[in-house]
Each structure stands twice: as structure tokens, then as C-alpha cells.
């Protein structure tokens, strides 16, 4: 008998689609698109091991699978939970999920400086989008916010730790793209910080990627600093002659034409 | 006197040393298991005993061993969780310090059952002197042929290593412990996969508490059935309870799980009553992570039944009116203690110990601590109490590991049962700085709701 290709049916907010085994709930939701897609801050599809941390993508599994239709007792991180055949998921249609999401946004913002007007990430910031879509209008946090010194991590990158949401994406990126990671997370809990431990510059050829994977304005490009706003930039197909990578390069630059 | 299975020999002089331990019948469980039982028979015996994990969750040990994946050619590991850092819990420390060979003996038998040739004890780093004690015990066991290659001619090899932690409570969580053992940051893993399938170095792994592994010794010596005769229902055998707070006789007690909470607190064989003639106000019966109960709900369940020192009875009524056996850290508060302050102390601990991986726990624990601090120091608002409630409810269940829950539950239970005291702090800020709320009506008999 020919090997039959397995396909799983999953239903998210009453919409059923077929996906391959090994697909996560988040990926399945993204295939459906639109409102059912849970927001995701720490997951980055290209980075192995990412996800599961920020908890913005929580959903409810109302039925585990056809074989075992019991609901899951807790909300699950959709970015790190694989679909099963016959799984039923609630995202936008479940109030507990919406409440939990709102709470996560609030948690991410209580110590955030809200300095969007002077932040280079503004306009392409996942946290801005997230707060706009799922957050509250005002804060219930009445305490002084956590602050950190600003650091230059070498000639190209600046770290505003106050804006960091500890998604770990830059750490994964440096681990997986560069040949030697020189930064990581220091300390623990709410005093964790991205650091190079001994003041060190990040100067690997590919280190600029960490700026790109950073969903917020914690890692910004020093050469771009205060020079522009992302909404003024336009994509331009660029020519490249580099021996280290291949593929298309698209450059976002300001151009009046 | 209650029967003792773990601490029966604790008062024998030099029982810490191999020769004395051996003379008093030590290592017979290893002889019995390795000479006359197959690994599966050992596991069966443990299943029959009904032993439940003593590290906090109370999961049946035999069943846990049964779940272990056994792929060909892949090593399996047993890891002993000796990270004991829960405020109020200090039973494993006592056992390891005074009768270390009991743990080593339990480890050898358990390693045999699981098929672990390299077994680790992950110990809290602050227990520096106990590390020396354990290493000495391991060396003695090895010199006498209980560890190493082909133990007792059975063909079974086993080495035990002690690995010290570096001061993080979170490394008691089994997957953080495994990460730390591998030399990485102690971050809890996202599950699945569970350690039984992919644990230490991605191999099938069992993590068990010190007391759980020590209990294997009497189970093998006397048989699982004998062990199961002690206790009530699914709470079989004896349990170590570390009692502290405002009692006459703080310390580690081995109890049979068939006595009432009242007997445990007031009987001279155990805590000996409340110290200094004060009255009982509240109790955290299973370590800082479990819900606090007021005196009236502690001694009797909401149904009016006597509350017993068993897993089932302590959790009777769920979180509405019950608590948990947890890790056996029994913290007693008398009428002079402030529940708000106690809650603040716990909240500060969880804030400090959160690993910071997930946002609800990382940010929520600090927020709760600050609000509690305000309330305790006369700067709270009425709305703060509801806000606290809301924050804890948004942490609970939404995090990677149970530390988030453990941070939320004490706050929830304190507000649920002691709301009067919180409100009093808000309405009487000046008094709150000078004196405590006192006993209130927390010891008064409850009206029992009879269902129709
Ligand atoms: C934050 C946290 C801390 C923990 N600390 C300990 C500990 O110090 N000792 C322990 O035995 N179990 C601890 N546990 C429970 C372990 O994760 C695990 O369930 C236990 O070691 C299993 O052993 P058992 O089945 O023998 O109880 C902790 C759990 C959490 C979530
Ligand atoms: S610096 Fe950016 S990418 Fe790195 S952890 Fe913080 S938010 Fe994530
Ligand atoms: S719940 Fe807390 S301790 Fe556990 S993984 Fe999340 S941040 Fe870390
Ligand atoms: S995106 Fe899933 S937990 Fe962060």
C-alpha cells in the first residue's frame, strides 16, 4: 500500500482547515488569516526554539483531537502547540482567551517607557500594534517603571533595555546566525537584562539581524538613529555582491521620488 | 507512638556513618532488590505501595516510573531533586543531613528499577555542608561495593553524582533542574516533551524528590502492601512534615497519614500546641505555594468534617475552602501575626525567584509585591484588593511553569479568606502601622452548609 499522506483537520473559531502534522496552532491560524490569528511577540518562524515565552498567543483548546476530544485544562501557547486531527481551538471566540491576552499586553506594558515618539521602531513595532489591537486604554500600574542605562553594543547597535520585552529572539538569532554569540540574558526575573556581560561590541557580519528580529525598539540601528521614520521608507530592490549570503535583497530607504 | 519508617533510626549515634547504618540493617533493600527482584518487580512493588511524590505535586511514583520511555540504546537517568527551597519546607535537608545513607540506598534501588547507570543528586547550593555529607556517604557506599560496576554481581552498574545548584528556587522545577544540570540557565522548559520522554541530555529521565526516593527503602524491605496499610485512602505511608511558626515544638516530624490536623498541632508528640499561650489564627499547611487557611477551615472542612493530614483531606473543598499537602512545609500563624504581611513576604519571594521567561510571572509578581507593600504600609486603596485579585487570576494558569501558579495561589487564598484584614489595613492605615488586626473571627466555628 502506498504511504498515505496524513492530513489533520483543525477548527479555529469555527473555521476548519487541513494542515500537515507538525503544524502549530499559530501556523494553522495564520493560514486561515484575519481575526482568528492570535498575536505573537516572541515567536519567529525562522528561529528554532523561539516562542512560548511572551504568552500573547494563548488560545483555548476546546477539544484535543478526534481520538481524545477532551478540552485542555489550561490555555496553551498556540506558537508551541501542535495541532492534532480533529482539534477544536477558540481564539477570538472565547472570552477567557481575550481577557488573558489583554492581561498579557498589560503585563508587557507596565514597565515599558511608552517613549514611542522618540523611538526608531515606532511604526513597525509589534508592541504598538499589539497594544492598539488588544490593550486597555489606560494603565492600572501606579509605580515607578523599571529603568536601565542605554548601551551602545558596538558601532551599529544601540540597546534600550527599558523597551525590551525579553522575547529572547535576538539571543536565538545570534545563536543560530552568527558563529559566536557574544550577548545574552543576564540576571533573572524582572531584573533580567540583555547584556554582553563584559562591555563588548557586537560586530559579527550578521549581527545586524538582531535589530531586525527585535519586535520592539530595544535594539535599534545606530546609523539610522533619529534620521528617519519607517513610514517614509520605501522598498527598493538592491544589488548585492557579497560572498556570505545569497538571495534577493530588499532595501528600505527614504526617497523622495 | 506513631510508626516511623524513615526516621526510625535517626537518633542512633553516628547513624550518619556507613558502618553504623549497615549494622542497623542498612542496605538490605539493595540486597533484596538486586538479588531477588527484577527492575519491573521493583516498580510493581512501588505501584502497590501507593507512594505519591513528596516534592509537591503528589503524583504516584510507581506510575511515573511506568511512564518512562525505554528506547533501545538510549541511556535513562534518575535525578534526585534535593533543591528544597520552598519557604517553610526543610524536611529533605534533615533527612540528608542526619541519615544520608537512607537516600543513597533508595537511590540505588530506584536507579535499578529505572535502569539509570548514572544518577544525579541536584542539591540546593546553600546546603554546602550537606554536599560534603552526601559525598562522604557515596564514597563509603562505593568502597563497600554498593555502587560502581556489577553491584552485588547483579550485572547492574551505577554511579551517583552530587551536583550543586547556584541559589535559584526555580531550579527545583524539574525541567529547570535538568537545564541547570546540563550547564545552562535554569529556565523551565516548555512542555511537552516531558522528561519521561526527553529529559536530561534529551534522554528519558525521572526526577524524584529526596523523601520519595528514601521511602523506596521501607517499601522494598517490608513490601508495598505493608506500606499501603498505613494511612487513609490514596494517602499511603508516612510523610515528613516540617513544622514551623508559632508552635511550641518546631521541627521535622514523621507522621502516619491518618492523624488529624488538630492532633498534629496540639499533640505533644508533634507541634505541642501554639506557643506562648496564644491562639491559632491561620496555617499554610504545605509550603509557601499552597493556599493559606484560617483556623476554622484548617481544623474542619467546609462540610464540617475533621480535617486530616492526608492529600485528600487537606485539599477537600478545592481552592474555595481547602489547601494542599504540597511539600509538607507546615507554617503556623498565631493571633499576633498579620496575614497581609505574610502574603507580602511570600510575594517578595516569588518576585525574586521568577526566572523571567514569561511575561505574566515576570511582571505580575513584582506588581503584586508592590501593591501588597502599599497595603501593609498603610498606603493601600480599597480598589487595590480587587486589582490584586485580578492580577493573580491573570498569572494563574497562563505561564510556562507552575511557579506562576505558586505565586498566585497564596495571594488568592489570603484575599479569599482574610479580606476583612486587608480592608482593615486600608481603612485604618495608622493602626495598621502600629498593631496587627488580631484574630478576628477566623477561629470561630463555621456554619456548615447542608446540601438538600
Ligand atoms: C517552582 C518549583 C519549585 C520546586 N521545587 C522543588 C524542590 O525543591 N524539591 C522537589 O522535590 N520538588 C520541587 N518541585 C517539584 C518538581 O518539579 C517535581 O515535581 C518533583 O521533584 C517530582 O518529584 P516527586 O514526584 O518525587 O514529588 C518544584 C516545582 C516548582 C514548580
Ligand atoms: S532586545 Fe529585542 S529581541 Fe532581544 S529580547 Fe529584548 S525585545 Fe527581544
Ligand atoms: S512561570 Fe515564572 S518561573 Fe516559570 S517559566 Fe514563567 S517566568 Fe519562569
Ligand atoms: S508568541 Fe507564543 S508565547 Fe510568545
Amino acid at each position: 500500500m502506498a504511504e498515505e499522506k496524513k492530513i489533520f483537520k483543525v477548527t479555529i473559531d469555527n473555521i476548519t482547515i487541513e494542515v500537515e502534522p507538525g503544524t502549530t496552532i499559530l501556523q494553522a491560524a495564520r493560514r486561515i488569516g484575519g481575526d482568528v490569528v492570535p498575536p505573537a511577540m516572541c515567536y519567529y518562524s525562522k528561529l528554532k526554539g523561539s516562542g512560548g515565552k511572551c504568552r500573547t498567543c494563548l488560545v483555548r483548546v476546546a477539544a484535543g483531537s478526534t481520538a481524545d476530544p477532551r478540552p485542555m485544562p489550561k490555555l496553551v501557547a498556540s506558537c508551541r502547540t501542535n495541532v492534532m486531527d480533529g482539534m477544536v481551538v477558540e481564539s477570538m471566540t472565547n472570552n477567557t482567551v481575550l481577557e488573558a491576552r489583554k492581561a498579557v499586553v498589560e503585563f508587557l506594558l507596565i514597565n515599558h517607557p511608552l517613549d514611542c515618539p522618540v523611538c526608531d521602531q515606532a511604526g513597525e513595532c509589534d508592541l504598538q500594534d499589539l497594544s492598539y489591537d488588544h490593550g486597555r486604554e489606560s494603565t492600572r500600574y501606579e509605580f515607578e517603571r523599571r529603568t536601565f542605562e542605554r548601551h551602545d553594543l558596538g558601532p551599529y547597535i544601540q540597546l534600550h533595555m527599558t523597551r525590551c520585552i525579553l522575547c529572547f529572539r535576538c539571543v536565538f538569532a545570534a545563536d543560530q546566525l552568527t558563529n559566536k554569540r557574544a550577548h545574552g540574558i543576564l540576571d533573572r526575573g524582572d531584573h533580567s537584562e540583555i547584556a554582553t556581560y563584559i562591555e563588548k561590541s557586537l560586530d559579527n557580519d550578521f549581527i545586524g539581524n538582531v535589530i531586525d528580529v527585535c519586535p520592539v525598539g530595544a535594539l535599534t540601528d545606530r546609523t539610522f538613529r533619529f534620521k528617519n521614520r519607517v513610514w517614509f521608507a520605501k522598498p527598493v530592490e538592491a544589488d548585492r555582491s557579497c560572498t556570505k549570503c545569497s538571495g534577493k535583497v530588499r532595501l528600505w530607504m527614504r526617497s523622495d521620488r | 507512638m506513631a510508626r516511623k519508617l524513615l526516621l526510625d533510626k535517626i537518633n542512633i549515634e553516628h547513624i550518619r556513618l556507613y558502618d553504623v547504618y549497615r549494622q542497623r540493617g542498612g542496605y538490605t533493600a539493595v540486597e533484596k532488590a538486586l538479588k531477588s527482584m527484577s527492575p519491573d518487580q521493583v516498580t510493581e512493588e512501588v505501584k502497590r505501595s501507593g507512594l505519591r511524590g513528596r516534592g509537591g505535586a503528589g503524583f504516584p511514583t510507581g506510575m511515573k516510573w511506568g511512564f518512562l520511555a525505554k528506547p533501545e540504546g538510549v541511556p535513562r537517568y534518575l535525578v534526585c531533586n534535593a533543591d528544597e527551597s520552598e519557604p517553610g519546607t526543610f524536611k529533605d535537608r534533615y533527612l540528608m543531613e542526619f541519615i544520608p545513607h537512607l537516600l543513597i540506598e533508595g537511590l540505588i534501588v530506584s536507579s535499578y528499577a529505572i535502569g539509570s547507570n548514572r544518577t544525579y543528586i541536584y542539591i540546593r547550593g546553600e546546603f554546602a555542608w550537606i554536599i560534603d555529607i552526601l559525598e562522604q556517604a557515596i564514597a563509603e557506599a562505593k568502597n563497600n561495593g554498593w555502587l560502581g560496576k556489577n553491584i552485588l554481581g547483579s550485572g547492574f552498574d551505577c554511579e551517583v553524582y552530587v551536583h550543586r545548584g547556584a541559589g535559584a528556587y526555580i531550579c527545583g522545577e524539574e525541567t529547570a533542574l535538568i537545564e541547570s544540570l546540563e550547564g545552562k540557565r535554569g529556565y523551565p522548559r516548555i512542555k511537552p516533551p516531558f522528561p519521561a520522554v526527553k529529559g536530561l541530555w534529551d534522554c528519558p529521565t525521572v526526577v524524584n524528590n529526596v523523601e520519595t526516593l528514601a521511602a523506596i527503602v521501607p517499601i522494598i524491605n517490608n513490601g508495598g502492601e505493608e506500606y499501603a496499610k498505613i494511612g487513609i485512602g490514596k494517602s499511603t505511608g508516612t510523610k515528613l512534615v516540617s513544622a514551623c511558626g508559632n508552635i511550641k515544638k518546631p521541627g521535622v516530624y514523621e507522621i502516619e497519614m491518618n492523624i488529624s490536623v488538630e492532633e498534629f498541632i496540639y499533640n505533644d508528640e508533634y507541634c505541642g500546641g501554639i506557643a506562648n499561650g496564644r491562639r491559632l489564627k491561620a496555617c499554610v499547611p504545605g509550603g509557601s505555594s499552597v493556599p493559606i487557611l484560617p483556623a476554622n477551615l484548617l481544623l474542619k472542612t467546609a462540610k464540617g468534617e475533621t480535617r486530616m493530614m492526608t492529600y485528600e483531606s487537606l485539599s477537600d473543598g478545592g481552592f474555595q475552602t481547602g489547601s494542599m499537602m504540597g511539600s509538607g512545609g507546615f507554617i503556623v500563624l498565631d493571633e499576633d501575626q498579620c496575614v497581609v504581611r505574610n502574603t507580602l513576604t511570600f510575594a517578595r519571594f516569588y518576585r525574586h525567584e521568577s526566572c523571567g521567561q514569561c511575561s505574566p510571572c515576570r511582571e505580575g509578581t513584582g506588581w503584586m509585591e508592590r501593591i501588597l507593600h502599599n497595603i501593609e504600609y498603610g498606603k493601600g486603596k480599597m480598589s487595590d484588593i480587587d486589582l490584586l485579585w485580578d492580577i493573580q487570576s491573570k498569572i494563574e494558569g497562563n505561564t510556562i511553569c507552575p511557579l506562576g501558579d505558586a505565586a498566585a495561589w497564596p495571594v488568592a487564598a489570603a484575599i479569599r479568606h482574610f479580606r476583612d484584614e486587608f480592608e482593615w489595613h486600608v481603612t485604618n492605615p495608622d493602626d495598621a502601622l502600629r498593631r496587627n488586626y488580631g484574630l478576628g473571627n477566623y477561629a470561630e466555628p463555621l456554619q456548615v452548609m447542608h446540601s438538600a
Side-chain angles (χ1 to χ4, degrees), chain B residues 53-57 59 64 81 83-85 92 169-170 172-174 207-209 212 402-403:
Chain B
R54 305 296 196 224
F59 193 82
K64 186 165 173 170
N81 190 340
D83 193 51
E84 192 173 62
S85 324
D92 298 341
Y169 168 66
I170 192 58
E173 195 280 337
E174 56 186 8
V207 181
N208 272 134
N209 172 259
T212 312
L403 188 139

mmCIF file of all heavy atoms in Angstrom, chain B residues 53-57 59 64 81 83-85 92 169-170 172-174 207-209 212 402-403, ligand 1:
data_model
loop_
_atom_site.group_PDB
_atom_site.id
_atom_site.type_symbol
_atom_site.label_atom_id
_atom_site.label_comp_id
_atom_site.label_asym_id
_atom_site.label_seq_id
_atom_site.Cartn_x
_atom_site.Cartn_y
_atom_site.Cartn_z
ATOM 1 N N GLY B 53 4.486 11.188 45.070
ATOM 2 C CA GLY B 53 5.661 12.055 45.090
ATOM 3 C C GLY B 53 5.599 13.041 46.244
ATOM 4 O O GLY B 53 4.577 13.666 46.494
ATOM 5 N N ARG B 54 6.717 13.177 46.949
ATOM 6 C CA ARG B 54 6.752 14.051 48.124
ATOM 7 C C ARG B 54 7.299 15.439 47.793
ATOM 8 O O ARG B 54 7.547 16.229 48.693
ATOM 9 C CB ARG B 54 7.625 13.413 49.205
ATOM 10 C CG ARG B 54 7.229 11.987 49.608
ATOM 11 C CD ARG B 54 5.848 11.943 50.236
ATOM 12 N NE ARG B 54 5.636 10.682 50.946
ATOM 13 C CZ ARG B 54 4.521 9.960 50.882
ATOM 14 N NH1 ARG B 54 3.508 10.350 50.126
ATOM 15 N NH2 ARG B 54 4.398 8.852 51.592
ATOM 16 N N GLY B 55 7.510 15.723 46.517
ATOM 17 C CA GLY B 55 8.093 17.006 46.145
ATOM 18 C C GLY B 55 7.069 18.129 46.022
ATOM 19 O O GLY B 55 7.432 19.292 45.903
ATOM 20 N N GLY B 56 5.801 17.791 46.009
ATOM 21 C CA GLY B 56 4.791 18.850 45.948
ATOM 22 C C GLY B 56 3.530 18.456 45.217
ATOM 23 O O GLY B 56 2.423 18.739 45.661
ATOM 24 N N ALA B 57 3.697 17.794 44.078
ATOM 25 C CA ALA B 57 2.514 17.537 43.264
ATOM 26 C C ALA B 57 1.783 16.258 43.668
ATOM 27 O O ALA B 57 0.612 16.073 43.337
ATOM 28 C CB ALA B 57 2.900 17.481 41.789
ATOM 29 N N PHE B 59 2.218 13.128 42.710
ATOM 30 C CA PHE B 59 1.945 12.196 41.619
ATOM 31 C C PHE B 59 2.422 10.786 42.002
ATOM 32 O O PHE B 59 3.509 10.641 42.550
ATOM 33 C CB PHE B 59 2.649 12.671 40.344
ATOM 34 C CG PHE B 59 2.182 11.953 39.128
ATOM 35 C CD1 PHE B 59 1.017 12.357 38.489
ATOM 36 C CD2 PHE B 59 2.874 10.860 38.636
ATOM 37 C CE1 PHE B 59 0.561 11.688 37.369
ATOM 38 C CE2 PHE B 59 2.415 10.183 37.513
ATOM 39 C CZ PHE B 59 1.259 10.594 36.882
ATOM 40 N N LYS B 64 4.685 7.011 37.595
ATOM 41 C CA LYS B 64 5.672 7.869 36.940
ATOM 42 C C LYS B 64 6.802 7.024 36.362
ATOM 43 O O LYS B 64 7.218 7.237 35.223
ATOM 44 C CB LYS B 64 6.211 8.847 37.980
ATOM 45 C CG LYS B 64 7.138 9.910 37.470
ATOM 46 C CD LYS B 64 7.246 10.972 38.551
ATOM 47 C CE LYS B 64 8.255 12.024 38.288
ATOM 48 N NZ LYS B 64 8.127 13.121 39.268
ATOM 49 N N ASN B 81 15.793 15.195 43.214
ATOM 50 C CA ASN B 81 15.566 16.620 43.419
ATOM 51 C C ASN B 81 15.790 16.965 44.893
ATOM 52 O O ASN B 81 14.944 16.705 45.739
ATOM 53 C CB ASN B 81 14.142 16.965 42.977
ATOM 54 C CG ASN B 81 13.891 18.457 42.924
ATOM 55 O OD1 ASN B 81 14.615 19.229 43.549
ATOM 56 N ND2 ASN B 81 12.873 18.864 42.197
ATOM 57 N N ASP B 83 16.674 20.124 45.783
ATOM 58 C CA ASP B 83 16.837 21.571 45.703
ATOM 59 C C ASP B 83 16.035 22.297 46.784
ATOM 60 O O ASP B 83 16.074 23.522 46.874
ATOM 61 C CB ASP B 83 16.416 22.078 44.324
ATOM 62 C CG ASP B 83 16.862 23.506 44.080
ATOM 63 O OD1 ASP B 83 18.051 23.766 44.282
ATOM 64 O OD2 ASP B 83 16.025 24.347 43.729
ATOM 65 N N GLU B 84 15.301 21.549 47.539
ATOM 66 C CA GLU B 84 14.439 22.074 48.608
ATOM 67 C C GLU B 84 14.652 23.555 48.975
ATOM 68 O O GLU B 84 15.525 23.888 49.765
ATOM 69 C CB GLU B 84 14.633 21.226 49.869
ATOM 70 C CG GLU B 84 13.603 21.499 50.932
ATOM 71 C CD GLU B 84 13.726 20.516 52.096
ATOM 72 O OE1 GLU B 84 14.766 20.480 52.756
ATOM 73 O OE2 GLU B 84 12.749 19.777 52.326
ATOM 74 N N SER B 85 13.849 24.411 48.371
ATOM 75 C CA SER B 85 13.988 25.847 48.651
ATOM 76 C C SER B 85 12.671 26.515 48.970
ATOM 77 O O SER B 85 12.597 27.728 49.064
ATOM 78 C CB SER B 85 14.581 26.572 47.440
ATOM 79 O OG SER B 85 15.531 25.790 46.776
ATOM 80 N N ASP B 92 13.759 17.548 53.615
ATOM 81 C CA ASP B 92 14.788 16.812 52.877
ATOM 82 C C ASP B 92 16.163 17.098 53.471
ATOM 83 O O ASP B 92 17.025 16.231 53.561
ATOM 84 C CB ASP B 92 14.791 17.217 51.393
ATOM 85 C CG ASP B 92 13.482 16.891 50.704
ATOM 86 O OD1 ASP B 92 12.732 16.045 51.242
ATOM 87 O OD2 ASP B 92 13.198 17.472 49.645
ATOM 88 N N TYR B 169 15.571 29.126 43.362
ATOM 89 C CA TYR B 169 14.420 28.295 43.706
ATOM 90 C C TYR B 169 13.870 27.615 42.467
ATOM 91 O O TYR B 169 13.446 26.453 42.512
ATOM 92 C CB TYR B 169 13.359 29.194 44.341
ATOM 93 C CG TYR B 169 11.985 28.600 44.525
ATOM 94 C CD1 TYR B 169 11.774 27.537 45.411
ATOM 95 C CD2 TYR B 169 10.885 29.123 43.868
ATOM 96 C CE1 TYR B 169 10.494 27.024 45.611
ATOM 97 C CE2 TYR B 169 9.616 28.615 44.058
ATOM 98 C CZ TYR B 169 9.425 27.565 44.931
ATOM 99 O OH TYR B 169 8.156 27.064 45.118
ATOM 100 N N ILE B 170 13.900 28.317 41.346
ATOM 101 C CA ILE B 170 13.289 27.776 40.138
ATOM 102 C C ILE B 170 13.964 26.476 39.704
ATOM 103 O O ILE B 170 13.358 25.641 39.034
ATOM 104 C CB ILE B 170 13.305 28.834 38.996
ATOM 105 C CG1 ILE B 170 12.429 28.399 37.825
ATOM 106 C CG2 ILE B 170 14.703 29.140 38.520
ATOM 107 C CD1 ILE B 170 10.991 28.156 38.182
ATOM 108 N N GLY B 172 14.349 24.013 41.301
ATOM 109 C CA GLY B 172 13.626 22.872 41.864
ATOM 110 C C GLY B 172 12.555 22.376 40.914
ATOM 111 O O GLY B 172 12.111 21.234 41.011
ATOM 112 N N GLU B 173 12.128 23.220 39.998
ATOM 113 C CA GLU B 173 11.163 22.792 38.978
ATOM 114 C C GLU B 173 11.909 21.827 38.076
ATOM 115 O O GLU B 173 13.013 22.115 37.621
ATOM 116 C CB GLU B 173 10.654 24.008 38.201
ATOM 117 C CG GLU B 173 9.415 23.750 37.377
ATOM 118 C CD GLU B 173 9.672 23.075 36.049
ATOM 119 O OE1 GLU B 173 10.797 23.167 35.513
ATOM 120 O OE2 GLU B 173 8.761 22.436 35.528
ATOM 121 N N GLU B 174 11.296 20.677 37.802
ATOM 122 C CA GLU B 174 12.114 19.588 37.259
ATOM 123 C C GLU B 174 12.785 19.890 35.927
ATOM 124 O O GLU B 174 13.913 19.468 35.701
ATOM 125 C CB GLU B 174 11.314 18.284 37.201
ATOM 126 C CG GLU B 174 10.020 18.379 36.427
ATOM 127 C CD GLU B 174 9.206 17.085 36.544
ATOM 128 O OE1 GLU B 174 9.580 16.211 37.336
ATOM 129 O OE2 GLU B 174 8.206 16.967 35.831
ATOM 130 N N VAL B 207 12.575 12.464 37.542
ATOM 131 C CA VAL B 207 13.001 13.353 38.620
ATOM 132 C C VAL B 207 12.118 13.059 39.826
ATOM 133 O O VAL B 207 10.896 13.097 39.719
ATOM 134 C CB VAL B 207 12.863 14.841 38.229
ATOM 135 C CG1 VAL B 207 13.333 15.738 39.372
ATOM 136 C CG2 VAL B 207 13.641 15.153 36.963
ATOM 137 N N ASN B 208 12.754 12.712 40.937
ATOM 138 C CA ASN B 208 12.006 12.451 42.163
ATOM 139 C C ASN B 208 12.605 13.206 43.338
ATOM 140 O O ASN B 208 13.799 13.446 43.404
ATOM 141 C CB ASN B 208 12.016 10.956 42.501
ATOM 142 C CG ASN B 208 10.878 10.177 41.857
ATOM 143 O OD1 ASN B 208 11.070 9.106 41.300
ATOM 144 N ND2 ASN B 208 9.682 10.717 41.917
ATOM 145 N N ASN B 209 11.727 13.484 44.267
ATOM 146 C CA ASN B 209 12.115 14.177 45.486
ATOM 147 C C ASN B 209 12.932 13.250 46.419
ATOM 148 O O ASN B 209 12.819 12.032 46.360
ATOM 149 C CB ASN B 209 10.815 14.638 46.167
ATOM 150 C CG ASN B 209 11.048 15.211 47.534
ATOM 151 O OD1 ASN B 209 10.837 14.541 48.540
ATOM 152 N ND2 ASN B 209 11.508 16.443 47.575
ATOM 153 N N THR B 212 10.729 10.982 48.563
ATOM 154 C CA THR B 212 10.133 9.927 47.736
ATOM 155 C C THR B 212 11.124 8.776 47.589
ATOM 156 O O THR B 212 10.771 7.604 47.760
ATOM 157 C CB THR B 212 9.817 10.477 46.324
ATOM 158 O OG1 THR B 212 9.142 11.726 46.439
ATOM 159 C CG2 THR B 212 8.976 9.508 45.526
ATOM 160 N N PRO B 402 4.806 25.970 36.872
ATOM 161 C CA PRO B 402 3.893 26.215 38.000
ATOM 162 C C PRO B 402 4.355 27.286 38.986
ATOM 163 O O PRO B 402 3.645 27.561 39.933
ATOM 164 C CB PRO B 402 3.811 24.856 38.706
ATOM 165 C CG PRO B 402 4.392 23.867 37.766
ATOM 166 C CD PRO B 402 5.357 24.611 36.905
ATOM 167 N N LEU B 403 5.524 27.899 38.780
ATOM 168 C CA LEU B 403 5.904 28.957 39.713
ATOM 169 C C LEU B 403 4.908 30.113 39.636
ATOM 170 O O LEU B 403 4.597 30.751 40.631
ATOM 171 C CB LEU B 403 7.330 29.469 39.464
ATOM 172 C CG LEU B 403 7.834 30.438 40.542
ATOM 173 C CD1 LEU B 403 9.278 30.173 40.896
ATOM 174 C CD2 LEU B 403 7.676 31.902 40.155
HETATM 175 C C1 LIG C 1 8.974 26.426 41.311
HETATM 176 C C2 LIG C 1 9.061 24.991 41.695
HETATM 177 C C3 LIG C 1 9.982 24.565 42.643
HETATM 178 C C4 LIG C 1 10.080 23.230 43.000
HETATM 179 N N1 LIG C 1 10.982 22.881 43.935
HETATM 180 C C5 LIG C 1 11.093 21.570 44.277
HETATM 181 C C6 LIG C 1 12.065 21.167 45.230
HETATM 182 O O1 LIG C 1 12.816 21.979 45.767
HETATM 183 N N2 LIG C 1 12.150 19.849 45.545
HETATM 184 C C7 LIG C 1 11.329 18.919 44.969
HETATM 185 O O2 LIG C 1 11.446 17.749 45.266
HETATM 186 N N3 LIG C 1 10.406 19.272 44.072
HETATM 187 C C8 LIG C 1 10.267 20.577 43.700
HETATM 188 N N4 LIG C 1 9.342 20.931 42.760
HETATM 189 C C9 LIG C 1 8.527 19.865 42.127
HETATM 190 C C10 LIG C 1 9.303 19.238 40.983
HETATM 191 O O3 LIG C 1 9.047 19.964 39.788
HETATM 192 C C11 LIG C 1 8.883 17.811 40.719
HETATM 193 O O4 LIG C 1 7.506 17.771 40.585
HETATM 194 C C12 LIG C 1 9.295 16.866 41.808
HETATM 195 O O5 LIG C 1 10.664 16.908 42.023
HETATM 196 C C13 LIG C 1 8.883 15.483 41.442
HETATM 197 O O6 LIG C 1 9.265 14.578 42.452
HETATM 198 P P1 LIG C 1 8.195 13.677 43.190
HETATM 199 O O7 LIG C 1 7.331 13.029 42.147
HETATM 200 O O8 LIG C 1 9.023 12.687 43.909
HETATM 201 O O9 LIG C 1 7.411 14.561 44.078
HETATM 202 C C14 LIG C 1 9.221 22.272 42.402
HETATM 203 C C15 LIG C 1 8.294 22.697 41.463
HETATM 204 C C16 LIG C 1 8.202 24.029 41.109
HETATM 205 C C17 LIG C 1 7.203 24.441 40.097
#
